[in-house]
Amino acid sequence: PGALHQMYTAMKLPVADSGALMPDAHQGYGLPIGGVLATKNAVIPYGVGVDIGCRMCLSIYDIPKNRLQSDKEALMKMLNANTRFGNATFKNKYKTDHPIFERNEFKELEIVKNLKDRAWSQIGSSGGGNHFVEFGIVKITEAENEFNVLPGTYMGLLSHSGSRGFGANIARHYTKAAMAQTKLPDEARHLAWLDMDTDLGKEYWAAMNLAGDYASACHHQIHERMAVGLRTTPLAMIENHHN
């Protein structure tokens, strides 16, 4: 009922075009989790969410599944050496340069410019909450599959995280700006939008896309480091974002 009420509220917005609830939808903050809202020439920063570009990424390795038990301690050390959990960051020699930091947004957008060092210290980290990096077993059952991997049982690495503090601060900054210029009833206040024809709307759109690409870069860093540690190249890597 909470998710339905939130969706009905969102559909009353003057910028709302259409909406849908997925089978797993449940009450969230502003928009339901598992809810989709199409808007006309507008973007709702809080609808995109505070973890911009949150996604999952899976690497499939041609490594026997029994390594999960025989090499358990070594795999645990590898995780702790190559990523960071919770609010931890990388320091000094563990910081990694990445082409994403050459993007023009880091020079042109004030909020993004001020967050660059934090983003640099957290790239390749996983965060906390329901975010994780873990080894597991991947079973390919169909001969024809989009990964071009032969049927069999493999060892895999699955990661779930987003744009870390970088994306969260972008979301908070532009949500506050949207709420200041679009006054809504209390139950709908988190659905404040930015017009895409305005400078603020265009600015958020650029920052949002950068944060999403940064989230992807975080996953790629994790998976590249793990591949080096495992001394192997993945048979396939699958990436899919949900924010």
Side-chain angles (χ1 to χ4, degrees), residues 37-70:
L37 181 70
T39 55
K40 292 173 282 193
N41 202 41
V43 62
I44 301 171
Y46 208 75
V48 174
V50 296
D51 199 3
I52 300 168
C54 189
R55 67 193 62 215
M56 303 188 84
C57 189
L58 172 70
S59 284
I60 302 173
Y61 305 108
D62 191 11
I63 295 175
K65 66 175 183 178
N66 61 14
R67 287 272 301 273
L68 288 170
Q69 289 303 319
S70 63

PDB file of all heavy atoms in Angstrom, residues 37-70:
ATOM      1  N   LEU A  37       9.318   6.154 -13.110  1.00  0.00           N
ATOM      2  CA  LEU A  37       8.522   7.323 -13.460  1.00  0.00           C
ATOM      3  C   LEU A  37       9.148   8.019 -14.662  1.00  0.00           C
ATOM      4  O   LEU A  37      10.325   8.374 -14.635  1.00  0.00           O
ATOM      5  CB  LEU A  37       8.462   8.303 -12.280  1.00  0.00           C
ATOM      6  CG  LEU A  37       7.635   9.579 -12.506  1.00  0.00           C
ATOM      7  CD1 LEU A  37       6.145   9.239 -12.580  1.00  0.00           C
ATOM      8  CD2 LEU A  37       7.888  10.607 -11.408  1.00  0.00           C
ATOM      9  N   ALA A  38       8.366   8.163 -15.718  1.00  0.00           N
ATOM     10  CA  ALA A  38       8.803   8.918 -16.892  1.00  0.00           C
ATOM     11  C   ALA A  38       8.305  10.351 -16.748  1.00  0.00           C
ATOM     12  O   ALA A  38       7.131  10.580 -16.464  1.00  0.00           O
ATOM     13  CB  ALA A  38       8.245   8.289 -18.162  1.00  0.00           C
ATOM     14  N   THR A  39       9.218  11.312 -16.933  1.00  0.00           N
ATOM     15  CA  THR A  39       8.858  12.726 -16.796  1.00  0.00           C
ATOM     16  C   THR A  39       9.081  13.463 -18.114  1.00  0.00           C
ATOM     17  O   THR A  39       9.908  13.044 -18.932  1.00  0.00           O
ATOM     18  CB  THR A  39       9.682  13.394 -15.685  1.00  0.00           C
ATOM     19  OG1 THR A  39      11.076  13.198 -15.949  1.00  0.00           O
ATOM     20  CG2 THR A  39       9.343  12.814 -14.326  1.00  0.00           C
ATOM     21  N   LYS A  40       8.363  14.571 -18.275  1.00  0.00           N
ATOM     22  CA  LYS A  40       8.466  15.359 -19.501  1.00  0.00           C
ATOM     23  C   LYS A  40       9.472  16.493 -19.317  1.00  0.00           C
ATOM     24  O   LYS A  40       9.224  17.428 -18.558  1.00  0.00           O
ATOM     25  CB  LYS A  40       7.085  15.929 -19.867  1.00  0.00           C
ATOM     26  CG  LYS A  40       6.080  14.875 -20.301  1.00  0.00           C
ATOM     27  CD  LYS A  40       4.694  15.449 -20.476  1.00  0.00           C
ATOM     28  CE  LYS A  40       4.007  15.655 -19.140  1.00  0.00           C
ATOM     29  NZ  LYS A  40       2.546  15.912 -19.268  1.00  0.00           N
ATOM     30  N   ASN A  41      10.607  16.382 -19.969  1.00  0.00           N
ATOM     31  CA  ASN A  41      11.615  17.441 -19.979  1.00  0.00           C
ATOM     32  C   ASN A  41      12.007  17.896 -18.575  1.00  0.00           C
ATOM     33  O   ASN A  41      12.238  19.075 -18.328  1.00  0.00           O
ATOM     34  CB  ASN A  41      11.118  18.649 -20.790  1.00  0.00           C
ATOM     35  CG  ASN A  41      12.278  19.513 -21.264  1.00  0.00           C
ATOM     36  OD1 ASN A  41      13.308  19.006 -21.685  1.00  0.00           O
ATOM     37  ND2 ASN A  41      12.116  20.824 -21.180  1.00  0.00           N
ATOM     38  N   ALA A  42      12.051  16.956 -17.655  1.00  0.00           N
ATOM     39  CA  ALA A  42      12.399  17.278 -16.268  1.00  0.00           C
ATOM     40  C   ALA A  42      13.099  16.078 -15.638  1.00  0.00           C
ATOM     41  O   ALA A  42      12.914  14.937 -16.077  1.00  0.00           O
ATOM     42  CB  ALA A  42      11.142  17.623 -15.470  1.00  0.00           C
ATOM     43  N   VAL A  43      13.901  16.349 -14.620  1.00  0.00           N
ATOM     44  CA  VAL A  43      14.573  15.271 -13.901  1.00  0.00           C
ATOM     45  C   VAL A  43      14.399  15.513 -12.403  1.00  0.00           C
ATOM     46  O   VAL A  43      14.462  16.652 -11.931  1.00  0.00           O
ATOM     47  CB  VAL A  43      16.071  15.187 -14.289  1.00  0.00           C
ATOM     48  CG1 VAL A  43      16.827  16.463 -13.932  1.00  0.00           C
ATOM     49  CG2 VAL A  43      16.735  13.972 -13.649  1.00  0.00           C
ATOM     50  N   ILE A  44      14.129  14.445 -11.663  1.00  0.00           N
ATOM     51  CA  ILE A  44      13.932  14.515 -10.212  1.00  0.00           C
ATOM     52  C   ILE A  44      15.181  13.937  -9.541  1.00  0.00           C
ATOM     53  O   ILE A  44      15.369  12.713  -9.532  1.00  0.00           O
ATOM     54  CB  ILE A  44      12.684  13.719  -9.795  1.00  0.00           C
ATOM     55  CG1 ILE A  44      11.449  14.266 -10.505  1.00  0.00           C
ATOM     56  CG2 ILE A  44      12.504  13.759  -8.273  1.00  0.00           C
ATOM     57  CD1 ILE A  44      10.198  13.416 -10.316  1.00  0.00           C
ATOM     58  N   PRO A  45      16.060  14.773  -9.004  1.00  0.00           N
ATOM     59  CA  PRO A  45      17.305  14.253  -8.419  1.00  0.00           C
ATOM     60  C   PRO A  45      17.086  13.168  -7.367  1.00  0.00           C
ATOM     61  O   PRO A  45      17.795  12.163  -7.347  1.00  0.00           O
ATOM     62  CB  PRO A  45      17.948  15.504  -7.811  1.00  0.00           C
ATOM     63  CG  PRO A  45      17.443  16.630  -8.649  1.00  0.00           C
ATOM     64  CD  PRO A  45      16.025  16.248  -8.979  1.00  0.00           C
ATOM     65  N   TYR A  46      16.095  13.362  -6.503  1.00  0.00           N
ATOM     66  CA  TYR A  46      15.864  12.367  -5.457  1.00  0.00           C
ATOM     67  C   TYR A  46      15.237  11.098  -6.021  1.00  0.00           C
ATOM     68  O   TYR A  46      15.314  10.037  -5.418  1.00  0.00           O
ATOM     69  CB  TYR A  46      14.992  12.953  -4.348  1.00  0.00           C
ATOM     70  CG  TYR A  46      15.234  12.319  -2.998  1.00  0.00           C
ATOM     71  CD1 TYR A  46      16.370  12.619  -2.261  1.00  0.00           C
ATOM     72  CD2 TYR A  46      14.333  11.406  -2.454  1.00  0.00           C
ATOM     73  CE1 TYR A  46      16.607  12.043  -1.033  1.00  0.00           C
ATOM     74  CE2 TYR A  46      14.555  10.822  -1.221  1.00  0.00           C
ATOM     75  CZ  TYR A  46      15.701  11.146  -0.508  1.00  0.00           C
ATOM     76  OH  TYR A  46      15.938  10.559   0.710  1.00  0.00           O
ATOM     77  N   GLY A  47      14.593  11.227  -7.194  1.00  0.00           N
ATOM     78  CA  GLY A  47      14.065  10.043  -7.867  1.00  0.00           C
ATOM     79  C   GLY A  47      15.183   9.179  -8.417  1.00  0.00           C
ATOM     80  O   GLY A  47      15.134   7.951  -8.370  1.00  0.00           O
ATOM     81  N   VAL A  48      16.199   9.830  -8.956  1.00  0.00           N
ATOM     82  CA  VAL A  48      17.397   9.103  -9.398  1.00  0.00           C
ATOM     83  C   VAL A  48      18.053   8.451  -8.184  1.00  0.00           C
ATOM     84  O   VAL A  48      18.552   7.327  -8.250  1.00  0.00           O
ATOM     85  CB  VAL A  48      18.381  10.052 -10.108  1.00  0.00           C
ATOM     86  CG1 VAL A  48      19.682   9.333 -10.447  1.00  0.00           C
ATOM     87  CG2 VAL A  48      17.739  10.625 -11.365  1.00  0.00           C
ATOM     88  N   GLY A  49      18.035   9.149  -7.058  1.00  0.00           N
ATOM     89  CA  GLY A  49      18.520   8.567  -5.812  1.00  0.00           C
ATOM     90  C   GLY A  49      19.852   9.121  -5.357  1.00  0.00           C
ATOM     91  O   GLY A  49      20.556   9.808  -6.101  1.00  0.00           O
ATOM     92  N   VAL A  50      20.171   8.817  -4.105  1.00  0.00           N
ATOM     93  CA  VAL A  50      21.424   9.315  -3.528  1.00  0.00           C
ATOM     94  C   VAL A  50      22.625   8.462  -3.931  1.00  0.00           C
ATOM     95  O   VAL A  50      23.764   8.889  -3.800  1.00  0.00           O
ATOM     96  CB  VAL A  50      21.347   9.407  -1.986  1.00  0.00           C
ATOM     97  CG1 VAL A  50      20.318  10.423  -1.558  1.00  0.00           C
ATOM     98  CG2 VAL A  50      21.053   8.048  -1.366  1.00  0.00           C
ATOM     99  N   ASP A  51      22.361   7.247  -4.413  1.00  0.00           N
ATOM    100  CA  ASP A  51      23.465   6.382  -4.865  1.00  0.00           C
ATOM    101  C   ASP A  51      23.380   6.282  -6.384  1.00  0.00           C
ATOM    102  O   ASP A  51      22.997   5.259  -6.947  1.00  0.00           O
ATOM    103  CB  ASP A  51      23.384   5.009  -4.211  1.00  0.00           C
ATOM    104  CG  ASP A  51      24.706   4.265  -4.288  1.00  0.00           C
ATOM    105  OD1 ASP A  51      25.686   4.843  -4.792  1.00  0.00           O
ATOM    106  OD2 ASP A  51      24.769   3.108  -3.848  1.00  0.00           O
ATOM    107  N   ILE A  52      23.741   7.377  -7.041  1.00  0.00           N
ATOM    108  CA  ILE A  52      23.605   7.477  -8.500  1.00  0.00           C
ATOM    109  C   ILE A  52      24.400   6.360  -9.190  1.00  0.00           C
ATOM    110  O   ILE A  52      25.567   6.142  -8.900  1.00  0.00           O
ATOM    111  CB  ILE A  52      24.110   8.845  -8.986  1.00  0.00           C
ATOM    112  CG1 ILE A  52      23.298   9.982  -8.341  1.00  0.00           C
ATOM    113  CG2 ILE A  52      24.044   8.944 -10.505  1.00  0.00           C
ATOM    114  CD1 ILE A  52      23.915  11.354  -8.529  1.00  0.00           C
ATOM    115  N   GLY A  53      23.741   5.669 -10.102  1.00  0.00           N
ATOM    116  CA  GLY A  53      24.438   4.656 -10.892  1.00  0.00           C
ATOM    117  C   GLY A  53      24.734   3.368 -10.156  1.00  0.00           C
ATOM    118  O   GLY A  53      25.545   2.559 -10.622  1.00  0.00           O
ATOM    119  N   CYS A  54      24.094   3.143  -8.995  1.00  0.00           N
ATOM    120  CA  CYS A  54      24.329   1.904  -8.253  1.00  0.00           C
ATOM    121  C   CYS A  54      24.068   0.716  -9.173  1.00  0.00           C
ATOM    122  O   CYS A  54      23.107   0.707  -9.934  1.00  0.00           O
ATOM    123  CB  CYS A  54      23.427   1.854  -7.032  1.00  0.00           C
ATOM    124  SG  CYS A  54      23.824   0.495  -5.919  1.00  0.00           S
ATOM    125  N   ARG A  55      24.945  -0.271  -9.096  1.00  0.00           N
ATOM    126  CA  ARG A  55      24.885  -1.368 -10.057  1.00  0.00           C
ATOM    127  C   ARG A  55      25.506  -2.634  -9.492  1.00  0.00           C
ATOM    128  O   ARG A  55      26.073  -2.627  -8.401  1.00  0.00           O
ATOM    129  CB  ARG A  55      25.622  -0.973 -11.334  1.00  0.00           C
ATOM    130  CG  ARG A  55      27.132  -0.801 -11.150  1.00  0.00           C
ATOM    131  CD  ARG A  55      27.761  -0.102 -12.335  1.00  0.00           C
ATOM    132  NE  ARG A  55      27.220   1.230 -12.499  1.00  0.00           N
ATOM    133  CZ  ARG A  55      27.015   1.826 -13.685  1.00  0.00           C
ATOM    134  NH1 ARG A  55      27.343   1.198 -14.799  1.00  0.00           N
ATOM    135  NH2 ARG A  55      26.531   3.037 -13.759  1.00  0.00           N
ATOM    136  N   MET A  56      25.414  -3.687 -10.276  1.00  0.00           N
ATOM    137  CA  MET A  56      26.082  -4.944  -9.947  1.00  0.00           C
ATOM    138  C   MET A  56      26.967  -5.329 -11.117  1.00  0.00           C
ATOM    139  O   MET A  56      26.693  -4.989 -12.264  1.00  0.00           O
ATOM    140  CB  MET A  56      25.073  -6.049  -9.638  1.00  0.00           C
ATOM    141  CG  MET A  56      24.138  -5.672  -8.511  1.00  0.00           C
ATOM    142  SD  MET A  56      23.084  -7.011  -7.950  1.00  0.00           S
ATOM    143  CE  MET A  56      24.190  -7.837  -6.810  1.00  0.00           C
ATOM    144  N   CYS A  57      28.051  -6.020 -10.793  1.00  0.00           N
ATOM    145  CA  CYS A  57      28.996  -6.448 -11.818  1.00  0.00           C
ATOM    146  C   CYS A  57      29.485  -7.847 -11.470  1.00  0.00           C
ATOM    147  O   CYS A  57      29.808  -8.132 -10.312  1.00  0.00           O
ATOM    148  CB  CYS A  57      30.169  -5.458 -11.877  1.00  0.00           C
ATOM    149  SG  CYS A  57      31.285  -5.733 -13.269  1.00  0.00           S
ATOM    150  N   LEU A  58      29.525  -8.710 -12.462  1.00  0.00           N
ATOM    151  CA  LEU A  58      29.921 -10.104 -12.259  1.00  0.00           C
ATOM    152  C   LEU A  58      31.037 -10.487 -13.223  1.00  0.00           C
ATOM    153  O   LEU A  58      30.927 -10.262 -14.428  1.00  0.00           O
ATOM    154  CB  LEU A  58      28.718 -11.029 -12.493  1.00  0.00           C
ATOM    155  CG  LEU A  58      29.000 -12.527 -12.514  1.00  0.00           C
ATOM    156  CD1 LEU A  58      29.356 -13.043 -11.127  1.00  0.00           C
ATOM    157  CD2 LEU A  58      27.785 -13.289 -13.064  1.00  0.00           C
ATOM    158  N   SER A  59      32.109 -11.028 -12.675  1.00  0.00           N
ATOM    159  CA  SER A  59      33.170 -11.624 -13.496  1.00  0.00           C
ATOM    160  C   SER A  59      33.091 -13.135 -13.357  1.00  0.00           C
ATOM    161  O   SER A  59      32.910 -13.661 -12.248  1.00  0.00           O
ATOM    162  CB  SER A  59      34.556 -11.153 -13.040  1.00  0.00           C
ATOM    163  OG  SER A  59      34.812  -9.833 -13.463  1.00  0.00           O
ATOM    164  N   ILE A  60      33.211 -13.832 -14.488  1.00  0.00           N
ATOM    165  CA  ILE A  60      33.189 -15.301 -14.498  1.00  0.00           C
ATOM    166  C   ILE A  60      34.585 -15.791 -14.850  1.00  0.00           C
ATOM    167  O   ILE A  60      35.142 -15.398 -15.880  1.00  0.00           O
ATOM    168  CB  ILE A  60      32.165 -15.840 -15.517  1.00  0.00           C
ATOM    169  CG1 ILE A  60      30.769 -15.297 -15.208  1.00  0.00           C
ATOM    170  CG2 ILE A  60      32.155 -17.365 -15.516  1.00  0.00           C
ATOM    171  CD1 ILE A  60      29.723 -15.638 -16.265  1.00  0.00           C
ATOM    172  N   TYR A  61      35.153 -16.623 -13.967  1.00  0.00           N
ATOM    173  CA  TYR A  61      36.519 -17.115 -14.163  1.00  0.00           C
ATOM    174  C   TYR A  61      36.533 -18.611 -14.463  1.00  0.00           C
ATOM    175  O   TYR A  61      35.723 -19.370 -13.908  1.00  0.00           O
ATOM    176  CB  TYR A  61      37.354 -16.877 -12.897  1.00  0.00           C
ATOM    177  CG  TYR A  61      37.393 -15.455 -12.419  1.00  0.00           C
ATOM    178  CD1 TYR A  61      36.705 -15.075 -11.263  1.00  0.00           C
ATOM    179  CD2 TYR A  61      38.115 -14.485 -13.103  1.00  0.00           C
ATOM    180  CE1 TYR A  61      36.739 -13.762 -10.813  1.00  0.00           C
ATOM    181  CE2 TYR A  61      38.156 -13.176 -12.650  1.00  0.00           C
ATOM    182  CZ  TYR A  61      37.465 -12.822 -11.507  1.00  0.00           C
ATOM    183  OH  TYR A  61      37.501 -11.528 -11.058  1.00  0.00           O
ATOM    184  N   ASP A  62      37.469 -19.005 -15.309  1.00  0.00           N
ATOM    185  CA  ASP A  62      37.661 -20.429 -15.583  1.00  0.00           C
ATOM    186  C   ASP A  62      38.526 -21.026 -14.476  1.00  0.00           C
ATOM    187  O   ASP A  62      39.659 -21.471 -14.696  1.00  0.00           O
ATOM    188  CB  ASP A  62      38.319 -20.621 -16.960  1.00  0.00           C
ATOM    189  CG  ASP A  62      38.285 -22.085 -17.404  1.00  0.00           C
ATOM    190  OD1 ASP A  62      37.581 -22.886 -16.760  1.00  0.00           O
ATOM    191  OD2 ASP A  62      38.982 -22.420 -18.385  1.00  0.00           O
ATOM    192  N   ILE A  63      37.981 -21.006 -13.275  1.00  0.00           N
ATOM    193  CA  ILE A  63      38.667 -21.503 -12.082  1.00  0.00           C
ATOM    194  C   ILE A  63      37.723 -22.482 -11.391  1.00  0.00           C
ATOM    195  O   ILE A  63      36.534 -22.187 -11.207  1.00  0.00           O
ATOM    196  CB  ILE A  63      39.010 -20.341 -11.119  1.00  0.00           C
ATOM    197  CG1 ILE A  63      40.025 -19.396 -11.766  1.00  0.00           C
ATOM    198  CG2 ILE A  63      39.549 -20.865  -9.794  1.00  0.00           C
ATOM    199  CD1 ILE A  63      40.335 -18.166 -10.933  1.00  0.00           C
ATOM    200  N   PRO A  64      38.210 -23.663 -10.993  1.00  0.00           N
ATOM    201  CA  PRO A  64      37.340 -24.653 -10.343  1.00  0.00           C
ATOM    202  C   PRO A  64      36.700 -24.101  -9.074  1.00  0.00           C
ATOM    203  O   PRO A  64      37.332 -23.367  -8.315  1.00  0.00           O
ATOM    204  CB  PRO A  64      38.294 -25.807 -10.010  1.00  0.00           C
ATOM    205  CG  PRO A  64      39.468 -25.618 -10.906  1.00  0.00           C
ATOM    206  CD  PRO A  64      39.599 -24.149 -11.127  1.00  0.00           C
ATOM    207  N   LYS A  65      35.443 -24.479  -8.836  1.00  0.00           N
ATOM    208  CA  LYS A  65      34.719 -23.948  -7.678  1.00  0.00           C
ATOM    209  C   LYS A  65      35.334 -24.387  -6.353  1.00  0.00           C
ATOM    210  O   LYS A  65      35.130 -23.721  -5.328  1.00  0.00           O
ATOM    211  CB  LYS A  65      33.256 -24.367  -7.734  1.00  0.00           C
ATOM    212  CG  LYS A  65      33.023 -25.867  -7.589  1.00  0.00           C
ATOM    213  CD  LYS A  65      31.533 -26.185  -7.540  1.00  0.00           C
ATOM    214  CE  LYS A  65      31.309 -27.675  -7.308  1.00  0.00           C
ATOM    215  NZ  LYS A  65      29.870 -28.008  -7.198  1.00  0.00           N
ATOM    216  N   ASN A  66      36.093 -25.511  -6.354  1.00  0.00           N
ATOM    217  CA  ASN A  66      36.680 -25.963  -5.092  1.00  0.00           C
ATOM    218  C   ASN A  66      37.739 -25.008  -4.545  1.00  0.00           C
ATOM    219  O   ASN A  66      38.136 -25.090  -3.382  1.00  0.00           O
ATOM    220  CB  ASN A  66      37.254 -27.385  -5.216  1.00  0.00           C
ATOM    221  CG  ASN A  66      38.355 -27.496  -6.254  1.00  0.00           C
ATOM    222  OD1 ASN A  66      38.895 -26.492  -6.721  1.00  0.00           O
ATOM    223  ND2 ASN A  66      38.688 -28.724  -6.630  1.00  0.00           N
ATOM    224  N   ARG A  67      38.198 -24.064  -5.388  1.00  0.00           N
ATOM    225  CA  ARG A  67      39.140 -23.043  -4.916  1.00  0.00           C
ATOM    226  C   ARG A  67      38.505 -22.162  -3.830  1.00  0.00           C
ATOM    227  O   ARG A  67      39.206 -21.564  -3.021  1.00  0.00           O
ATOM    228  CB  ARG A  67      39.593 -22.163  -6.077  1.00  0.00           C
ATOM    229  CG  ARG A  67      40.554 -22.811  -7.065  1.00  0.00           C
ATOM    230  CD  ARG A  67      42.005 -22.656  -6.667  1.00  0.00           C
ATOM    231  NE  ARG A  67      42.438 -21.268  -6.541  1.00  0.00           N
ATOM    232  CZ  ARG A  67      42.905 -20.516  -7.534  1.00  0.00           C
ATOM    233  NH1 ARG A  67      42.954 -21.013  -8.769  1.00  0.00           N
ATOM    234  NH2 ARG A  67      43.298 -19.282  -7.313  1.00  0.00           N
ATOM    235  N   LEU A  68      37.168 -22.070  -3.854  1.00  0.00           N
ATOM    236  CA  LEU A  68      36.477 -21.266  -2.853  1.00  0.00           C
ATOM    237  C   LEU A  68      36.737 -21.795  -1.444  1.00  0.00           C
ATOM    238  O   LEU A  68      36.779 -21.025  -0.480  1.00  0.00           O
ATOM    239  CB  LEU A  68      34.968 -21.252  -3.118  1.00  0.00           C
ATOM    240  CG  LEU A  68      34.500 -20.440  -4.325  1.00  0.00           C
ATOM    241  CD1 LEU A  68      33.032 -20.714  -4.608  1.00  0.00           C
ATOM    242  CD2 LEU A  68      34.715 -18.958  -4.089  1.00  0.00           C
ATOM    243  N   GLN A  69      36.931 -23.081  -1.324  1.00  0.00           N
ATOM    244  CA  GLN A  69      37.227 -23.676  -0.019  1.00  0.00           C
ATOM    245  C   GLN A  69      38.722 -23.831   0.204  1.00  0.00           C
ATOM    246  O   GLN A  69      39.252 -23.452   1.252  1.00  0.00           O
ATOM    247  CB  GLN A  69      36.534 -25.041   0.093  1.00  0.00           C
ATOM    248  CG  GLN A  69      35.023 -24.962   0.219  1.00  0.00           C
ATOM    249  CD  GLN A  69      34.564 -24.118   1.405  1.00  0.00           C
ATOM    250  OE1 GLN A  69      35.130 -24.183   2.495  1.00  0.00           O
ATOM    251  NE2 GLN A  69      33.530 -23.314   1.194  1.00  0.00           N
ATOM    252  N   SER A  70      39.425 -24.355  -0.787  1.00  0.00           N
ATOM    253  CA  SER A  70      40.862 -24.617  -0.601  1.00  0.00           C
ATOM    254  C   SER A  70      41.675 -23.338  -0.452  1.00  0.00           C
ATOM    255  O   SER A  70      42.693 -23.311   0.232  1.00  0.00           O
ATOM    256  CB  SER A  70      41.403 -25.452  -1.766  1.00  0.00           C
ATOM    257  OG  SER A  70      41.284 -24.746  -2.993  1.00  0.00           O
TER     258      SER A  70
END
